[in-house]
Amino acid sequence: MFLFEEIKELISDNKLELAISKLNAVIEANPQNDEAYLLRGHAYRKQENWKRALSDYATARNINPAGDAAIAYESTVEILNFYNTDLYNP
């Protein structure tokens, strides 16, 4: 779908608020669109809004368990669980 290509470009260009706004409209019109939740999760992740990113990834994964959202969810959890103990214990 052309709209999703445009939104991916907005996310890539860090025009995150505009991308989220467009995705909100898509989700409002079709709440079962897993790709819209996945992309909105990507935008939230770039904003470091981890809670909303994980929520959107989980919703997308529930709609389409075979989609990319499961990988995005797990990757985000891994990022959040990672820490370098050397930074805390020099």
Side-chain angles (χ1 to χ4, degrees):
M1 178 179 239
F2 177 74
L3 177 61
F4 287 138
E5 293 304 317
E6 176 187 335
I7 290 171
K8 287 177 187 177
E9 189 172 319
L10 289 171
I11 293 170
S12 178
D13 292 342
N14 286 319
K15 297 178 180 175
L16 303 175
E17 292 300 326
L18 182 56
I20 290 169
S21 175
K22 288 179 180 279
L23 289 163
N24 287 341
V26 171
I27 290 168
E28 186 176 322
N30 182 4
Q32 294 300 306
N33 190 319
D34 65 300
E35 188 172 3
Y37 284 103
L38 176 66
L39 291 175
R40 192 170 71 176
H42 291 338
Y44 283 137
R45 190 184 68 212
K46 283 189 87 168
Q47 289 181 328
E48 296 184 8
N49 189 336
W50 305 110
K51 184 177 179 179
R52 285 189 172 180
L54 287 171
S55 177
D56 278 351
Y57 291 151
T59 301
R61 182 180 60 184
N62 289 338
I63 295 168
N64 181 7
D68 293 336
I71 295 168
Y73 184 92
E74 293 303 322
S75 297
T76 303
V77 168
E78 285 181 24
I79 290 167
L80 293 173
N81 286 334
F82 175 79
Y83 67 94
N84 185 342
T85 56
D86 292 338
L87 294 175
Y88 299 108
N89 301 308

